[in-house]
Amino acid sequence: MSYTDKMLRDDALKGKVIVVTGGGSGLGKAMTKYFLELGAQVAITSRDLEKLKSTAQELETETGGTCLPLQCDVRHYEEVENMLQAVLKAFGKVDVLLNNAAGNFISPTERLSANAFDTVIDIVLKGTKNCTLAFGKHWIDTKQTSSTVLNIVTTYAWTGSAYVVPSATAKAGVLAMTRSLAVEWAKYGIRTNAIAPGPFPTKGAWDRLLPGDLAEKFDMAKKVPLKRVGDHQELANLAAYLVSDFSAYVNGEVVVIDGGEWLKGAGQFNLLEAIPEELWDQLEMMIKAKKRS
Ligand code: COA
């Protein structure tokens, strides 16, 4: 067994209808592929219908599943409502909303225009709100008793992060929404959870967030105690578990999957990792000598 293996049994998501926002590429696409392999019917949404269509076709061929491409800019509530209606028309119901669509760019905050800041907040926070509200209202109105919202946040939703301030601000809001609704909507049978992924390289995000030779300069694997970046299947395994009935008692949880990356930055003495083994003997002697004097 390896972490790149598929974790759940083949029919783990059979009968489920799942919507993945931002499902046309990157991590959304990877999670969609695994959901299809596990027997779910999946609708993928984004602004770029052509990309969605080609992804849906590719995934249907690879998995033999049903993947519906739907154009939807999550920033606009009426587009989200139309997308929901299209899903219901095609599949008759919806069980899972995966709020994966995101926008981000690196920049010193003072260089950002007000509109640039808004753009990221609108996609990440308002987009998650729009989808969650539309789907939640539908589930509550129709008295559907077993539905799930899964949000993708990030480890800097807790800590904040310089140079991606709109994203950090928005993701912190999504984190609060996750925990708030987990309590408020549990009585309607709606579970709300989140995943906080560390570095999982994707072509799109990596080229945009670490352009040019930055990717080599800032080798993300070096920041991770486990000394590697994540594999897409690891994230897909976790997402599939959290939207499946196997996690029926998991609600309001935010699962960090980052190889220990964010804690490495937090521990006050973690930088001592730089000390070579042979120096520890000398240091111990020096410290003990000080204690005796
Ligand atoms: N640095 C600073 N400002 C930027 C920027 C950057 N890299 N990219 C865009 N902006 C600004 C624009 O100048 C504009 O502000 P202005 O009107 O004051 O000039 C504002 O942001 C909106 O830009 P625009 O290109 O019109 O936005 P959009 O809605 O078409 O797309 C994104 C915004 C973020 C979604 C787009 O960059 C994108 O498609 N990114 C890929 C998806 C992504 O980021 N995924 C997340 C990976 S973690």
Side-chain angles (χ1 to χ4, degrees):
M1 282 292 166
S2 141
Y3 59 81
T4 55
D5 287 343
K6 293 164 188 177
M7 187 176 82
L8 295 184
R9 64 180 68 173
D10 287 349
D11 59 352
L13 297 178
K14 197 157 184 249
K16 291 222 183 280
V17 175
I18 302 178
V19 170
V20 181
T21 67
S25 59
L27 300 179
K29 181 178 171 185
M31 290 185 279
T32 298
K33 183 175 178 212
Y34 192 39
F35 295 164
L36 290 166
E37 287 170 343
L38 293 171
Q41 293 171 301
V42 186
I44 52 174
T45 81
S46 79
R47 291 180 296 176
D48 186 345
L49 186 59
E50 287 317 305
K51 186 156 71 167
L52 288 173
K53 279 183 182 164
S54 96
T55 298
Q57 197 161 44
E58 178 193 327
L59 294 182
E60 284 193 342
T61 309
E62 276 178 22
T63 66
T66 306
C67 186
L68 176 70
L70 289 174
Q71 189 168 33
C72 173
D73 186 336
V74 291
R75 292 177 285 192
H76 305 300
Y77 192 73
E78 42 330 319
E79 289 192 34
V80 170
E81 282 186 312
N82 291 340
M83 177 266 284
L84 171 60
Q85 289 312 317
V87 173
L88 295 173
K89 190 163 172 230
F91 298 125
K93 64 158 188 167
V94 61
D95 303 289
V96 176
L97 167 66
L98 173 45
N99 282 309
N100 166 73
N104 197 1
F105 29 74
I106 49 164
S107 176
T109 307
E110 68 278 12
R111 288 173 59 106
L112 294 175
S113 69
N115 187 42
F117 208 120
D118 282 349
T119 299
V120 173
I121 300 256
D122 284 353
I123 298 168
V124 176
L125 181 54
K126 203 169 142 193
T128 301
K129 177 273 290 179
N130 282 342
C131 294
T132 306
L133 193 61
F135 281 58
K137 280 173 183 283
H138 164 73
W139 286 325
I140 294 165
D141 286 349
T142 56
K143 299 192 167 40
Q144 186 169 326
T145 51
S146 172
S147 24
T148 296
V149 178
L150 181 60
N151 294 326
I152 303 296
V153 294
T154 156
T155 45
Y156 60 69
W158 287 276
T159 59
S161 177
Y163 304 105
V164 285
V165 171
S167 170
T169 308
K171 293 286 192 184
V174 175
L175 181 62
M177 200 190 315
T178 305
R179 290 174 167 155
S180 307
L181 287 177
V183 174
E184 189 178 326
W185 281 358
K187 60 179 174 284
Y188 301 118
I190 303 171
R191 292 189 299 121
T192 310
N193 291 297
I195 297 177
F200 280 83
T202 61
K203 175 112 189 67
W206 238 231
D207 286 356
R208 290 172 45 75
L209 295 175
L210 296 170
D213 63 355
L214 282 188
E216 273 164 43
K217 251 196 192 127
F218 299 104
D219 181 357
M220 284 288 179
K222 285 200 188 120
K223 287 177 69 225
V224 180
L226 288 176
K227 296 282 179 249
R228 66 173 178 85
V229 294
D231 183 87
H232 288 192
Q233 186 62 41
E234 289 177 282
L235 184 69
N237 283 341
L238 178 59
Y241 166 69
L242 286 174
V243 302
S244 78
D245 294 334
F246 292 114
S247 62
Y249 205 49
V250 181
N251 185 32
E253 187 53 71
V254 185
V255 183
V256 174
I257 177 164
D258 75 339
E261 183 206 21
W262 83 296
L263 292 175
K264 184 173 177 179
Q268 197 170 23
F269 290 94
N270 288 349
L271 75 177
L272 298 185
E273 197 182 50
I275 294 178
E277 195 57 39
E278 54 278 12
L279 206 63
W280 279 112
D281 286 341
Q282 285 180 37
L283 286 172
E284 191 179 331
M285 270 173 12
M286 283 161 64
I287 295 162
K288 284 181 173 166
K290 259 215 154 13
K291 227 168 84 185
R292 280 194 290 271
S293 66

